[in-house]
Amino acid sequence: MSLPDHLKQLRRNARERYESLPWPTKTDEEWRRTDPSLIPSIPADWEPTSSGLKAGWDLPTQDLPSGVILTDLETAVQQFPELIEEYLFQSGTPEGLAKFVALHQALATQGLFCYIPDGVKVELPIKTWVEMVQSDGAVFPHLLLIVGQGSELTLIDERRPAADGTTPVLSDEMAEIFLKKGATLRYVHLQRWGPSVTELFIQRALLEQDAQLLNITIGLGGRLTKAEIETVLSGSGARSELLGILFGSGRQHFDFRTLQDHRAQRTFSDLLYKGALTDDAESIYAGLIRITKQAQKSDAYQANRTVLLSDGAKADSIPMLEIEADDVRCTHGVAVGPVDEEQLFYLMSRGLPHLEAEQLIVEGFFDQVFKRIPMEALREQLAAEVRHRLIHHG
Amino acid sequence: MGTPLLEITGLHVLVEGKEILKGISLSVEKGQVHALMGPNGSGKSTLSNTLMGHPKYQVTQGKILFQGEDLTALKTDARARGGIFLAFQYPTAIQGVSVANFIRTAMKARFGEKFQPKEFRKELKAAMASLGVDESFATRYVNDGFSGGEKKRHEILQMAMLKPLLAILDETDSGLDIDALRTVSEGINRLRGPSLGILLITHYQRLLNYIEPDVVHVLVDGRIVRSGGKELALELEAKGYAPYETAKTEQKETVPQ
Ligand SMILES: Nc1ncnc2c1ncn2[C@@H]1O[C@H](COP(=O)(O)OP(=O)(O)OP(=O)(O)O)[C@@H](O)[C@H]1O
Ligand SMILES: [Mg+2]
């Protein structure tokens, strides 16, 4: 496949950055709780096979409005070079994972591209997915999503496991989301990778004035996930609601970092992440709220709660604030703890076996997140997905 | 009379290392109502939690037989599926779990194959109506933000749906206003029958006007100090527990060590 010149240049630069940046060590703040030696090292001149991933989508029954583009990234690079040049790899880089962003940019060829022109409302949700095909080496899924001025979209984007998913794979993924003035996006990232996947997941969402984002991240699969989820509220009046659900079993390890980056006045963000862990699963959550001097009259909220279902499960939660403006409202709260024994006793006193009682409590615990999803069908679909995972773990 | 429904003999129970029940014996036949009265902290709820198999309550001596079978090795959920029901004095809230979902799940556990999912909605609606509970109740979260009275109605609603053989009602009357007391008592009375045994824990004689007990027991400091007919409740109402408390201290004085 021949790439446009600008993209070749981007890739060369990225490769150089990847080679010059040091491999992270356990003393880096970012990597204190996730051992960087667990990330497989990939040479910068590695050639990902063009069949490592399969991207696909289900269109709503009605036709997409004209001007809407939904295709795989390879096709988009050939057919829409101007849009690609304008947006691909342009959303910025989370500092902590700069090396892996560079690796991603050097090697990513596969993924999804979705463009909604100005003034278009896509009524029904669109479902997209990326499926693991190869069962070793590394894959570099990319999602590029642009919602034009005043446009509206709901996208449910799933990561599916390989049929035979036992050999270790690195997924170094990046999602770039651009919301133009007044755009509305509901985005669901449903991660169901297989148990042998080590995942780096970097998401950058850039919101212009009055844009609205509902960003739902559901982490169910993978052996190890290190995620950076960053929302930049760069235009006044932009609003972002960030919801997260994690469920880990076996020896799964999740390290989630979020950034609510308020850079303009009257911006709003509200984050709620909930996790449940069993067996020897672990999670780390670190959330930063940053409010710059320009972002007066902004509101930022953050809450993270994790329930531990076994003695071997571990969770750590670190809220952080960097506030330069003085006229803002901001709260954050974290809680980690076991299942309430009195709740368990109450349910068991009605005949529910221990495991079933626990499942019901966890479902109820997650309900607070689901309840904030406005579309009933979507809410039920996601709740069912999580319930299925709760029942079939181990 | 055959095997009693519930037969407790010489039961000693330890909670957090402290002995709370100090040798209780009690036998409930099918169809009977036994009232258990006693001062605060005497161990009434400890007995109900122990009967339900709460892991914190440790049986150190004695036996609990349910339909002739030893309960002590059975876990809470197995006891419940076998037909023991506890209406809690302080029911716990479970956020995010609706009443309907909760009761449906409990019924599936209790009745297994025999549970009729198609009939469930109708049955629940009828049971709610007869307890004077609004329909919106079904979609509320279990005990979350319930008033005292709503919590107690909810307990009896579950009892009606789960059809136990032995119901332990721990102060189901406390926190109820006069009208609610009547509705809830009527609800309980409707469930009475030849196969159901009830252990009714209460502080007030008033409840016993509605639900007539066959036997009244007085529990003081972890021991049943007296058992009698329903007139015993009237006597307690008049005189309080003072006579028994004194008896207890005297006993201690006369029997050193
Ligand atoms: N889970 C527990 N942890 C610690 N102490 C307990 C526990 N349960 C009961 N106790 C103690 O056991 C004693 C008896 O308590 P219990 O709740 O059985 O009394 P009660 O007769 O039900 O009182 P009330 O009429 O106030 O409901 C009290 O001293 C109480 O503090
Ligand atoms: Mg009590």
Side-chain angles (χ1 to χ4, degrees):
Chain A
M1 185 180 69
S2 75
L3 295 177
D5 287 343
H6 88 275
L7 197 51
K8 283 190 189 143
Q9 188 58 46
L10 281 179
R11 285 184 183 286
R12 267 197 301 277
N13 295 347
R15 178 180 301 197
E16 280 164 22
R17 276 204 320 282
Y18 176 65
E19 282 171 336
S20 67
L21 286 164
W23 192 262
T25 67
K26 283 204 93 162
T27 53
D28 299 340
E29 174 53 37
E30 173 85 34
W31 291 91
R32 269 182 46 213
R33 290 149 208 261
T34 297
D35 184 355
S37 71
L38 294 173
I39 310 293
S41 166
I42 303 289
D45 56 0
W46 198 73
E47 295 239 352
T49 60
S50 58
S51 58
L53 295 167
K54 207 166 85 190
W57 49 89
D58 273 339
L59 292 180
T61 42
Q62 71 197 53
D63 288 342
L64 287 176
S66 71
V68 170
I69 303 167
L70 174 62
T71 186
D72 61 84
L73 193 66
E74 290 143 299
T75 308
V77 166
Q78 302 303 322
Q79 292 186 2
F80 309 101
E82 300 81 16
L83 288 171
I84 291 293
E85 179 158 7
E86 191 176 349
Y87 294 106
L88 184 68
F89 304 151
Q90 301 307 310
S91 65
T93 298
E95 257 169 59
L97 293 182
K99 189 173 175 81
F100 299 99
V101 171
L103 179 65
H104 173 93
Q105 294 182 352
L107 299 176
T109 53
Q110 295 187 292
L112 289 156
F113 176 75
C114 182
Y115 175 82
I116 313 294
D118 293 350
V120 172
K121 287 195 165 61
V122 182
E123 303 283 346
L124 293 171
I126 295 180
K127 287 185 189 174
T128 55
W129 67 82
V130 175
E131 194 177 308
M132 193 77 75
V133 176
Q134 76 179 25
S135 59
D136 61 1
V139 293
F140 302 89
H142 192 92
L143 171 77
L144 181 55
L145 178 53
I146 302 126
V147 184
Q149 276 194 28
S151 295
E152 210 176 305
L153 174 69
T154 300
L155 190 77
I156 301 148
D157 186 23
E158 192 178 328
R159 296 293 165 271
R160 296 180 179 170
D164 127 39
T166 49
T167 32
V169 182
L170 171 72
S171 169
D172 181 7
E173 168 160 5
M174 188 162 189
E176 300 184 279
I177 296 171
F178 297 87
L179 299 191
K180 302 302 199 180
K181 196 171 157 184
T184 298
L185 172 68
R186 300 177 203 95
Y187 175 71
V188 181
H189 178 79
L190 174 59
Q191 192 268 80
R192 302 202 297 111
W193 287 136
S196 58
V197 174
T198 296
E199 176 192 41
L200 297 156
F201 176 62
I202 296 132
Q203 188 198 75
R204 294 270 298 170
L206 271 47
L207 278 68
E208 292 185 3
Q209 187 188 327
D210 297 324
Q212 296 197 31
L213 172 64
L214 171 62
N215 190 6
I216 304 168
T217 304
I218 300 184
L220 303 178
R223 161 69 182 85
L224 180 153
T225 290
K226 178 127 184 65
E228 291 277 356
I229 295 178
E230 304 198 337
T231 305
V232 185
L233 302 148
S234 55
S236 64
R239 297 174 68 86
S240 170
E241 194 172 355
L242 299 129
L243 302 177
I245 296 249
L246 296 181
F247 179 78
S249 62
R251 305 202 50 208
Q252 273 182 287
H253 176 102
F254 293 103
D255 182 338
F256 269 74
R257 313 217 158 207
T258 61
L259 170 64
Q260 293 153 267
D261 200 357
H262 292 253
R263 298 196 186 166
Q265 57 178 338
R266 284 180 293 101
T267 48
F268 171 95
S269 70
D270 187 1
L271 178 144
L272 174 63
Y273 270 55
K274 284 196 159 192
L277 303 171
T278 186
D279 304 333
D280 295 314
E282 309 182 316
S283 77
I284 295 106
Y285 170 80
L288 172 62
I289 293 176
R290 181 191 289 151
I291 304 183
T292 62
K293 273 204 258 328
Q294 294 75 42
Q296 294 292 3
K297 302 202 185 315
S298 290
D299 297 348
Y301 306 104
Q302 182 194 97
N304 174 232
R305 317 224 177 279
T306 308
V307 58
L308 304 176
L309 307 174
S310 64
D311 292 339
K314 272 204 297 255
D316 217 336
S317 192
I318 312 144
M320 292 171 288
L321 296 175
E322 250 177 59
I323 300 186
E324 291 170 1
D326 48 20
D327 183 13
V328 297
R329 265 185 298 183
C330 191
T331 63
H332 58 163
V334 301
V336 177
V339 175
D340 184 301
E341 278 185 30
E342 295 310 314
Q343 292 186 341
L344 263 183
F345 179 59
Y346 190 69
L347 292 179
M348 288 176 72
S349 82
R350 301 313 187 226
L352 277 68
H354 190 279
L355 200 65
E356 235 179 275
E358 211 171 70
Q359 277 161 12
L360 196 60
I361 293 169
V362 173
E363 270 182 51
F365 174 74
F366 286 150
D367 183 76
Q368 214 189 0
V369 177
F370 286 127
K371 175 163 101 173
R372 283 165 62 170
I373 300 174
M375 298 133 295
E376 195 179 341
L378 176 58
R379 185 166 60 227
E380 270 163 23
Q381 185 209 334
L382 296 178
E385 199 67 65
V386 172
R387 187 177 310 124
H388 183 267
R389 177 76 179 84
L390 280 177
I391 293 170
H392 292 97
H393 75 78
Chain B
M1 274 198 161
T3 318
L5 182 65
L6 174 71
E7 192 175 13
I8 305 172
T9 39
L11 184 68
H12 289 250
V13 172
L14 222 58
V15 186
E16 311 259 318
K18 198 176 150 211
E19 182 163 75
I20 305 293
L21 299 185
K22 305 167 181 173
I24 289 197
S25 298
L26 179 76
S27 178
V28 180
E29 303 291 336
K30 284 182 188 165
Q32 279 190 329
V33 175
H34 286 231
L36 181 66
M37 306 182 78
N40 294 130
S42 56
K44 302 182 299 297
S45 295
T46 299
L47 179 62
S48 34
N49 283 321
T50 305
L51 290 175
M52 204 68 245
H54 192 300
K56 266 197 188 162
Y57 297 72
Q58 194 193 336
V59 174
T60 52
Q61 278 183 57
K63 270 207 184 108
I64 307 169
L65 302 183
F66 176 63
Q67 297 182 305
E69 279 182 56
D70 193 350
L71 274 188
T72 25
L74 282 190
K75 291 259 165 56
T76 300
D77 53 314
R79 298 183 193 200
R81 289 193 300 272
I84 302 181
F85 179 85
L86 169 61
F88 283 66
Q89 181 175 4
Y90 303 111
T92 312
I94 303 174
Q95 279 90 13
V97 178
S98 73
V99 167
N101 186 16
F102 165 56
I103 297 182
R104 188 194 298 110
T105 312
M107 285 177 74
K108 262 192 248 167
R110 166 106 169 89
F111 301 117
E113 299 286 289
K114 277 179 260 162
F115 172 64
Q116 303 271 324
K118 281 189 195 140
E119 301 299 310
F120 172 72
R121 283 269 156 197
K122 228 169 63 189
E123 219 181 307
L124 181 68
K125 227 171 127 174
M128 289 198 301
S130 66
L131 284 166
V133 172
D134 191 82
E135 262 184 53
S136 65
F137 207 74
T139 57
R140 289 178 65 183
Y141 293 155
V142 172
N143 295 314
D144 189 29
F146 284 16
S147 73
E150 285 170 334
K151 282 185 187 163
K152 297 306 165 88
R153 285 175 205 246
H154 179 227
E155 294 296 289
I156 301 308
L157 175 66
Q158 294 168 58
M159 177 181 165
M161 301 295 283
L162 292 170
K163 305 197 172 36
L165 303 172
L166 173 68
I168 305 147
L169 308 180
D170 195 350
E171 297 199 27
T172 300
D173 55 336
S174 67
L176 293 182
D177 65 41
I178 297 161
D179 293 336
L181 180 67
R182 183 166 353 94
T183 333
V184 167
S185 307
E186 282 167 7
I188 296 168
N189 279 329
R190 270 197 300 278
L191 300 171
R192 282 183 76 168
S195 57
L196 174 69
I198 297 180
L199 185 62
L200 194 64
I201 297 171
T202 182
H203 284 293
Y204 306 105
Q205 197 275 327
R206 200 179 49 185
L207 176 68
L208 306 181
N209 288 338
Y210 291 104
I211 306 170
E212 253 189 49
D214 300 289
V215 188
V216 175
H217 305 277
V218 183
L219 183 71
V220 177
D221 193 26
R223 294 186 181 87
I224 292 182
V225 294
R226 203 171 151 197
S227 300
K230 59 175 189 241
E231 63 292 340
L232 180 53
L234 287 166
E235 189 187 314
L236 287 172
E237 185 96 335
K239 298 191 187 154
Y241 297 109
Y244 305 104
E245 310 258 5
T246 337
K248 184 183 78 191
T249 14
E250 274 169 12
Q251 201 182 9
K252 269 190 193 145
E253 280 162 9
T254 51
V255 188
Q257 287 158 21

